[in-house]
Amino acid sequence: CWKRLVGSLRNSGYDGHIIFGVHKEIPQDEQDYLKEMDVTSYIVDFVDCDSSVLGGEAKGGSAAVRGKCAKGIEKLNLEWGRYEMARQWLNACDTCTGWSLVMDTRDLFFQADPFASLPPPKEAKQDLLFIEEIAKHTSPLDDPKRWFKLGNARFMSRVGPCYGRSTFKAYAERPVLCSGTVIGTRRGMHRFLSVLVGEFYSNNQKKNKNCKSPGMTDQWNMNYLYYNGKFGEYDRTKTIPWGTGPVMTIGHPCINKNIPNPNHSQKDMIVVDKETGLIRNNWETDDNSKARIAPVVHQFDRCHKWIRPWFSRHGDLFNTVPTLAWK
């Protein structure tokens, strides 16, 4: 997992900071690898959450992140607390002055430097970038079942009971924004994390348990905040359409609800570069674009039938141990 994640990032030529939280019992060989790749690691000790912040019992696979907290942040479960940790770690890094990516780790890998297609932060018109899921205006197929719009049952069932159904009717046709890949300058990322974490704390103080975890999740809370203008500075905040820019989210395109289960691992909307075999951004048609080959590929776990053999053919992305010139 570390090699696919960190190895692919370092092999892309990225030479900036990499910061992760790791379990206190991380194996020694993994610690050694992260040190070799010049990764800053913070030990995260899992503890029980303050009972006041839980709106119910987290069950199934979500219990690991929605039913536990990090020591010192007992009033935010791990799903929410990771954003507070990211805010603290970014603030503590005085030399983190470029672009930042707050991201998931389990289902993501790199094919190129994630920030190479972006302008220098000081020259950028926007300082906070959200990644759109596939939508009507970006889908290669004219099929609503293959789009991921905000007016879906999951969003409505999470946001409605907390904020009210009238809060999202105006933007129900807009694309879902992914909470697992958010990009910003130091200033923009601080604004994003501060607003989001502040909303988590605010929701935990409400009597309405539907505003707390596990009823409310980070993904839908973030979407509610964005589409209601809560991140502010509208001229500095932007969404990046699916199939363009630094991140290619392939999870939803890999699922076809028109066919019986198993309906995952579809490839009809995935474009592969003929020369390299790497995964392309569908709408980056300029051969000179630094985002033509998708720098970041996210949610590959919904595509496992074809991504596993793809990984075996492209082991050079992450199995090679690069020599870090600055070490």
Side-chain angles (χ1 to χ4, degrees):
C1 179
W2 286 121
K3 285 187 177 180
R4 185 167 56 221
L5 181 66
V6 177
S8 65
L9 180 54
R10 284 301 187 210
N11 274 294
S12 75
Y14 173 77
D15 60 1
H17 292 280
I18 303 176
I19 304 173
F20 284 121
V22 299
H23 194 277
K24 65 177 182 178
E25 297 178 1
I26 180 174
Q28 187 60 50
D29 62 328
E30 295 184 19
Q31 293 184 52
D32 294 341
Y33 178 75
L34 294 180
K35 184 177 180 180
E36 185 179 13
M37 292 296 99
D38 200 19
V39 173
T40 300
S41 301
Y42 285 91
I43 299 296
V44 179
D45 190 0
F46 292 10
V47 297
D48 291 334
C49 299
D50 187 301
S51 60
S52 67
V53 306
L54 298 178
E57 182 183 358
K59 299 179 180 179
S62 67
V65 294
R66 294 176 185 164
K68 287 290 184 180
C69 288
K71 188 174 182 179
I73 312 179
E74 287 85 355
K75 291 198 173 183
L76 293 176
N77 66 9
L78 287 169
E79 182 183 58
W80 294 5
R82 61 179 175 152
Y83 296 97
E84 173 60 13
M85 288 183 267
R87 179 168 68 162
Q88 293 179 15
W89 299 339
L90 181 60
N91 186 60
C93 179
D94 293 335
T95 54
C96 292
T97 56
W99 290 101
S100 297
L101 168 64
V102 172
M103 65 184 195
D104 290 342
T105 56
R106 178 182 55 83
D107 57 354
L108 181 151
F109 67 93
F110 298 87
Q111 299 184 121
D113 184 328
F115 307 129
S117 64
L118 300 176
K122 291 183 179 180
E123 300 175 13
K125 294 180 179 179
Q126 287 85 28
D127 62 8
L128 180 56
L129 308 174
F130 293 95
I131 308 301
E132 294 182 11
E133 295 266 8
I134 193 168
K136 180 179 181 179
H137 61 280
T138 52
S139 175
L141 302 178
D142 186 19
D143 182 355
K145 289 186 177 181
R146 305 298 297 277
W147 311 333
F148 199 14
K149 66 179 183 178
L150 207 61
N152 66 75
R154 283 189 289 165
F155 178 77
M156 292 186 289
S157 66
R158 302 283 188 177
V159 171
C162 176
Y163 294 106
R165 290 185 174 272
S166 62
T167 59
F168 57 79
K169 288 184 178 180
Y171 47 83
E173 296 300 314
R174 293 294 300 160
V176 169
L177 306 178
C178 184
S179 63
T181 48
V182 179
I183 297 172
T185 65
R186 183 181 180 90
R187 181 177 179 274
M189 188 59 74
H190 178 74
R191 184 170 85 253
F192 163 68
L193 294 170
S194 296
V195 171
L196 185 61
V197 170
E199 189 71 7
F200 291 154
Y201 279 120
S202 176
N203 280 344
N204 278 339
Q205 293 176 355
K206 296 176 181 177
K207 293 182 179 180
N208 184 353
K209 68 177 184 179
N210 294 306
C211 297
K212 302 179 181 182
S213 182
M216 180 61 72
T217 66
D218 60 338
Q219 170 105 339
W220 304 125
N221 213 328
M222 186 196 81
N223 275 265
Y224 164 80
L225 292 172
Y226 174 79
Y227 282 110
N228 283 278
K230 303 297 184 180
F231 292 110
E233 299 197 31
Y234 309 127
D235 60 329
R236 305 279 293 167
T237 305
K238 176 185 177 183
T239 66
I240 299 180
W242 180 87
T244 69
V247 181
M248 176 62 163
T249 308
I250 63 174
H252 211 75
C254 276
I255 298 173
N256 186 352
K257 295 181 180 179
N258 295 302
I259 62 177
N261 284 324
N263 57 12
H264 57 74
S265 301
Q266 306 302 309
K267 288 189 69 177
D268 54 342
M269 290 197 282
I270 306 299
V271 177
V272 175
D273 184 65
K274 293 180 180 179
E275 183 176 339
T276 64
L278 299 179
I279 297 168
R280 280 185 48 191
N281 265 318
N282 292 52
W283 306 119
E284 293 282 356
T285 56
D286 185 348
D287 289 343
N288 295 318
S289 170
K290 292 183 179 180
R292 183 174 179 272
I293 300 297
V296 183
V297 178
H298 187 211
Q299 296 181 358
F300 66 80
D301 57 331
R302 292 83 181 283
C303 320
H304 61 267
K305 282 190 175 180
W306 64 262
I307 201 69
R308 287 174 179 170
W310 187 93
F311 280 140
S312 68
R313 295 193 301 271
H314 296 280
D316 56 308
L317 286 176
F318 47 84
N319 284 329
T320 303
V321 178
T323 299
L324 306 183
W326 61 93
K327 289 194 69 180

